[in-house]
Amino acid sequence: MVTSPIMCLRYCLTESNYLLLLTMLQNLKERSSVKFDRMLRTGRTRLKNAYVWYLVCYFAISCDAADTNEINIWPMPVSVSFGSGKLHLSNAFELKTKGSKFADASGILKEAFSRTIDIVRSSHVVELDTSKVVPSLVLRGIHVVISSPSDELQYGTDESYKLYIPAHGNPIYACIEAKTVYGALHGLQTFSQICSYNLSTRGILVHQVPWTIVDQPRFSYRGLLIDTARHYQPLQVIKKIIDAMAYTKLNVLHWHIVDTQSFPLEIPSYPKLWDGSFTIFERYTIADAEEIVSYAKKRGIHVLAEIDIPGHAESWGFGYPSLWPSENCTGPLDVSNDFTFKLIDGILSDFSKIFKFKFVHLGGDEVDTSCWIITPRVRSWLHKQGMSDSDAYQYFVLRVQKLALSHGYEIINWEETFNHFGSKLNPQTVVHNWLGGGVAENVVKAGLRCIVSNQDKWYLDHYIRWQDFYSNEPLENITNHELHSRVLGGEVCMWGELIDAADIEQMVWPRAAAAAERMWTSYDKLAKDPNDVRSRLSHFRCLLNQRGIAAGPLEGLGLTRPFGPGSCYTK
Amino acid sequence: MVTSPIMCLRYCLTESNYLLLLTMLQNLKERSSVKFDRMLRTGRTRLKNAYVWYLVCYFAISCDAADTNEINIWPMPVSVSFGSGKLHLSNAFELKTKGSKFADASGILKEAFSRTIDIVRSSHVVELDTSKVVPSLVLRGIHVVISSPSDELQYGTDESYKLYIPAHGNPIYACIEAKTVYGALHGLQTFSQICSYNLSTRGILVHQVPWTIVDQPRFSYRGLLIDTARHYQPLQVIKKIIDAMAYTKLNVLHWHIVDTQSFPLEIPSYPKLWDGSFTIFERYTIADAEEIVSYAKKRGIHVLAEIDIPGHAESWGFGYPSLWPSENCTGPLDVSNDFTFKLIDGILSDFSKIFKFKFVHLGGDEVDTSCWIITPRVRSWLHKQGMSDSDAYQYFVLRVQKLALSHGYEIINWEETFNHFGSKLNPQTVVHNWLGGGVAENVVKAGLRCIVSNQDKWYLDHYIRWQDFYSNEPLENITNHELHSRVLGGEVCMWGELIDAADIEQMVWPRAAAAAERMWTSYDKLAKDPNDVRSRLSHFRCLLNQRGIAAGPLEGLGLTRPFGPGSCYTK
């Protein structure tokens, strides 16, 4: 009943190889001017036969090797070994924590375990009755052993884990060892990608056992920026972004909360600030912000809050007009007015109660000082202080840095602050690159720390290919290895001018995932040619879709439709 | 501290009026070539002042009237009266069913009630402690009284409901009366739209009490087509489509399961059919299909299954090549082969165990019979039967109709069958219009029933404005009122050539919701000019976003980005 070499291959190849073959055939089809789809299925022409048999031979030859070399885990762990066995995931799959020092009073681990089972089972209805399967073939649960009793999540919290899945035993349990619960969460994410629904058994199979995975992130700061000032993002949308960040092992949600266009966040110390929101429906209460922070923490994700001052703050003056140089010249924030700094101090004080991350982001980019120069009151103040507008920009940033430090924060500022007065920045400053490549090199040489977000590669609102997201190397040209630790990591930025609740997911995924591997995976394991990981990323994109995340086709540069009918795995 | 007329209005206007004002200002801004955003906030120019004060006067005058005229419920109920009171939704909001004849053994009502609370609370963290609010201001629960004990969902099942929300009482309960649980579910959806988070109380308010709503659908068939053959749609994605269908009171998920490109569904009688799936990962097991049907039923939604034969079935031959006229000419299905009909009979037999809807869709569109003519074996069979290819098309469709009837189904066929041999179709046939307008008129005159999906207005894969979706009238030009009942309703179609898991939600919503009001709301309540309901639809779109549905901007024609920063309510 086999009708074509393709159908034959569908059974003799491994799943991943089959997908790769499909991809190649799809590419072939796209290049061909004839109706290749029909050809492919019916063997109509000699051309088709020649190509298909070539590919069959190619895959038949490479089949054995690929059997043991293909792993569909994203991002790739540091160290992986695996076998060729299979286990059935028990329907009564359970969490064991004997010997763990982590008491899980807040339920972080239990909830994460429960979510793991949910996502593993989300693609199909599970029908297999595992109580009727030979016990030696059933994986009964995961034994999680955590050595730290604390659930504190802070910059630098250990995220390493080891995952063992034996091939034999009775009963059989997988084991995750981690220093902290947050390492264990990563272990569960990796585990979820080793499981998949199996059509033959109608159950969840754990593939390629036995597994030994030893893993830890390359960078401790792996960020994604969202912007709720250009468009408000509802809580449900932010939560889904966080869900998918956890799937990709990103660990910092950089929340660009407010900007020129709107001020959606409640600030108890200055309750008129959110008068600058678009509407009363497009606001975050303090309780909402706490909910976001808590939701993120339960997934091992920090929330970095930003106020982008003095340049991106026009909306602040809605509630407090004296923050503007004048009603006719409404930005940057009035440097000459002590109230400006008193209010910022109030914001930072309120922030420090909600946003417990070590860092606060103070912005500092794109400051156009003309309003300071042309507004008589501010100009005369500048004159009195003996400051140029440029001096005043420095004065503003440094004064606010001190305020942030006084609230226990370390500081992140956009790179213009470094470019203008780098030597004056507080040594606690982390410089956030965005203008282009090559900045980190200068920042770390100057003794400061850096986060890499060069817009030509890591801006999600730009039309950039996933391959460029993947290839962007935070340590590029930093030859002195002692300086590497000053690059905390990187961040992909989803600026919100053209992004609302409808298009955000597709603009972020899967391109942010491509960058996530760059930030997680050890350098030697990263593909030199990103196309080498295309099949694995494609698999991961389809996995995101199965989990309800609207990740788009790899070939898209953000919001895009698939180019025509076909398998997810070929897009 | 009021800084501008806009800020003043923010407090004195009703929420809905405020939004309308914002929309007008936003439009103004888009038309203006100057930096209106800044102008608007700072009062920089005379132009701005003139416009803004004009609008202020306009709204000040119309304010009182609008207070009682604006209702943000989508789709609009048949009969609505309401007051100006407010109640707080109890944190212990409960379901009472005393006096109801519906025992809810399957949990449909309980689960729907629970989901109602979840969606009402999804936009913000609720902080109000309602146990400390005066009891006479707290809505304690909903009392649902259902007169039918059955949970059977079938075409024509009564969907009417009455919703009362009193303004006074102690304790106060809302009341839903319905003939069936499915009417009650609609009542809960309407209720959910009357509740909203309130920033002053930090709780959920029930607005404009007392309410009396009497409601029922205009058409009993209100469909949305999804196509899982051109792209596979994961279960989670289909479930979210169903969720939003329930929000809009659509009630038929037309599942165009298989087509030329792929055959993702398991057919136990012919287990090789899904060899025609794109990959083994892109398949629906019977259990998956049952899950979809069950999930939909719990939301009052029928699932209409389709096999589109003989013309859209090339993928069937992957598993059973003898269904093709030949390996070189692979469609339509071989009319000369009895196996073709035996297999279809098997499919319909399997369907009848899963898809309990009264109707099955047998397709029948776009049949290109050339393969029948040029394939010697088929041509000789035609000759022997004394049939032209056109006769054979009719023969095929009518023979399959009989098979469907024998399995207890009534039949839906695409309109080409009517156009070619309308008088021969079984009287049980429902003709599914798609080619253009004016078809229903002819169909009902011919004594058959019709579903309207004219592609120029109701195809979601086409670039059509929401206003055209709203305005498309299924009964257009049918002057004889006795024939109206033969128009079962309508359906918007989301064909899948360029639609995958990433873009489907934005392509469907909110345009499908515009059509949903056309199909639900009584004719006299429908807006003659769709722009009159723009503000209400915009509000509903933002509500969908709050509930995690990626509904796009109204101005988009499907997949689109918002045109620039701003409020959801102005897009």
Side-chain angles (χ1 to χ4, degrees), chain A residues 41-42 44 124 231 288 571, chain B residues 124 231 288 318 327-328:
Chain A
R41 296 195 163 177
T42 61
R44 183 177 288 173
H124 291 276
H231 287 93
D288 292 339
K571 298 292 170 71
Chain B
H124 291 277
H231 286 93
D288 293 339
F318 253 104
E327 283 235 335
N328 291 323

Side-chain angles (χ1 to χ4, degrees), chain B residues 239-458:
Chain B
K239 286 180 176 179
K240 269 188 81 193
I241 291 291
I242 292 171
D243 289 343
M245 287 178 71
Y247 302 155
T248 53
K249 299 191 172 75
L250 290 170
N251 75 338
V252 180
L253 179 71
H254 176 176
W255 190 1
H256 187 87
I257 312 173
V258 300
D259 205 300
T260 292
Q261 288 82 356
S262 77
F263 196 115
L265 181 65
E266 177 176 29
I267 300 293
S269 301
Y270 291 90
K272 287 179 183 293
L273 273 169
W274 70 357
D275 289 359
S277 64
F278 288 128
T279 63
I280 56 169
F281 308 111
E282 288 162 301
R283 292 179 173 179
Y284 305 102
T285 65
I286 287 294
D288 293 339
E290 285 169 342
E291 168 73 6
I292 294 294
V293 171
S294 161
Y295 191 90
K297 181 182 175 185
K298 285 182 175 175
R299 286 148 184 87
I301 293 169
H302 312 278
V303 177
L304 169 69
E306 177 178 359
I307 44 174
D308 193 352
I309 50 177
H312 284 262
E314 205 172 333
S315 65
W316 300 31
F318 253 104
Y320 299 94
S322 70
L323 294 170
W324 290 332
S326 77
E327 283 235 335
N328 291 323
C329 216
T330 53
L333 294 175
D334 187 352
V335 64
S336 73
N337 186 350
D338 267 342
F339 176 70
T340 301
F341 298 95
K342 188 161 167 263
L343 180 137
I344 292 167
D345 191 45
I347 292 176
L348 291 169
S349 169
D350 288 349
F351 270 19
S352 67
K353 293 166 196 140
I354 313 162
F355 302 110
K356 305 289 188 183
F357 193 37
K358 180 179 184 173
F359 301 101
V360 70
H361 204 304
L362 299 174
D365 61 319
E366 298 184 315
V367 180
D368 171 359
T369 53
S370 10
C371 275
W372 288 349
I373 298 169
I374 63 172
T375 305
R377 183 175 45 77
V378 185
R379 188 173 55 213
S380 101
W381 180 87
L382 289 176
H383 184 70
K384 201 168 147 193
Q385 305 292 323
M387 284 187 197
S388 69
D389 59 319
S390 172
D391 297 336
Y393 168 36
Q394 175 182 322
Y395 162 81
F396 192 108
V397 168
L398 298 184
R399 185 166 171 184
V400 175
Q401 285 204 331
K402 282 187 195 144
L403 293 175
L405 289 164
S406 77
H407 289 290
Y409 281 121
E410 296 188 25
I411 306 137
I412 305 179
N413 272 115
W414 291 110
E415 71 169 277
E416 286 96 322
T417 58
F418 175 77
N419 300 340
H420 282 73
F421 42 89
S423 64
K424 304 290 174 53
L425 290 170
N426 186 288
Q428 299 278 38
T429 307
V430 178
V431 177
H432 196 164
N433 152 245
W434 73 276
L435 286 166
V439 174
E441 190 184 347
N442 298 328
V443 170
V444 298
K445 277 185 192 159
L448 295 174
R449 293 167 297 174
C450 190
I451 294 165
V452 172
S453 291
N454 46 318
Q455 60 176 339
D456 53 322
K457 297 292 177 65
W458 275 3

Side-chain angles (χ1 to χ4, degrees), chain A residues 1 3-4 6-7 10-11 15 18-19 22 37-38 41-44 121-125 127 196-197 199 202 230-232 234-237 240 260-262 266 272 274-288 291 314-315 317-321 324 326-331 371 461 463 496-503 506-507 539 541-542 545-553 557-569 571, chain B residues 1 3-4 6-7 10-11 15 18-19 22 37-38 41-45 122-125 127 197 199 202 230-232 234-237 240 260-262 266 272 274-288 291 314-315 317-321 324 326-331 371 461 463 496-503 506-507 539 541-542 545-553 557-569 571:
Chain A
M1 298 303 287
T3 64
S4 76
I6 302 301
M7 289 312 301
R10 193 170 288 208
Y11 297 100
E15 288 162 2
Y18 176 64
L19 293 177
L22 263 188
D37 198 43
R38 181 173 285 211
R41 296 195 163 177
T42 61
R44 183 177 288 173
R121 292 188 173 183
S122 63
S123 67
H124 291 276
V125 175
E127 297 176 83
S196 69
Y197 178 83
L199 276 176
R202 308 288 165 122
R230 276 63 180 254
H231 287 93
Y232 179 83
L235 290 196
Q236 303 309 314
V237 175
K240 271 188 79 191
T260 292
Q261 289 81 356
S262 78
E266 178 175 29
K272 287 180 182 293
W274 69 357
D275 290 359
S277 64
F278 288 128
T279 63
I280 56 170
F281 308 111
E282 289 163 299
R283 291 179 173 180
Y284 306 102
T285 65
I286 287 294
D288 292 339
E291 168 73 8
E314 206 172 333
S315 65
F318 254 104
Y320 299 96
W324 290 333
S326 78
E327 281 237 336
N328 293 320
C329 218
T330 53
C371 275
D461 52 323
Y463 292 96
E497 282 85 349
L498 304 180
I499 304 300
D500 63 13
D503 58 348
Q506 208 193 118
M507 290 297 290
H539 188 278
R541 177 247 164 163
C542 301
N545 286 171
Q546 282 171 21
R547 295 177 180 183
I549 306 294
L557 307 175
L559 196 68
T560 189
R561 298 182 176 182
F563 302 139
S567 166
C568 176
Y569 297 88
K571 298 292 170 71
Chain B
M1 298 302 285
T3 64
S4 78
I6 303 300
M7 287 314 299
R10 193 169 291 207
Y11 296 102
E15 288 163 359
Y18 176 63
L19 293 178
L22 263 189
D37 199 44
R38 180 172 286 210
R41 298 196 162 177
T42 61
R44 182 176 288 175
T45 72
S122 63
S123 66
H124 291 277
V125 174
E127 297 176 84
Y197 178 84
L199 275 176
R202 308 288 166 121
R230 277 61 180 255
H231 286 93
Y232 178 84
L235 291 196
Q236 303 309 315
V237 175
K240 269 188 81 193
T260 292
Q261 288 82 356
S262 77
E266 177 176 29
K272 287 179 183 293
W274 70 357
D275 289 359
S277 64
F278 288 128
T279 63
I280 56 169
F281 308 111
E282 288 162 301
R283 292 179 173 179
Y284 305 102
T285 65
I286 287 294
D288 293 339
E291 168 73 6
E314 205 172 333
S315 65
F318 253 104
Y320 299 94
W324 290 332
S326 77
E327 283 235 335
N328 291 323
C329 216
T330 53
C371 275
D461 52 322
Y463 291 97
E497 282 85 349
L498 304 180
I499 305 300
D500 62 14
D503 59 349
Q506 208 194 118
M507 290 296 290
H539 188 277
R541 178 247 163 162
C542 301
N545 287 169
Q546 281 172 21
R547 295 177 181 183
I549 305 294
L557 307 174
L559 196 69
T560 188
R561 297 183 177 181
F563 302 140
S567 165
C568 176
Y569 296 90
K571 299 291 168 72

Side-chain angles (χ1 to χ4, degrees), chain B residues 93-114:
Chain B
F93 197 68
E94 62 169 352
L95 173 67
K96 286 205 321 190
T97 56
K98 195 179 170 190
S100 183
K101 291 186 181 150
F102 181 72
D104 201 21
S106 49
I108 292 179
L109 182 62
K110 275 183 221 77
E111 288 177 26
F113 177 78
S114 168

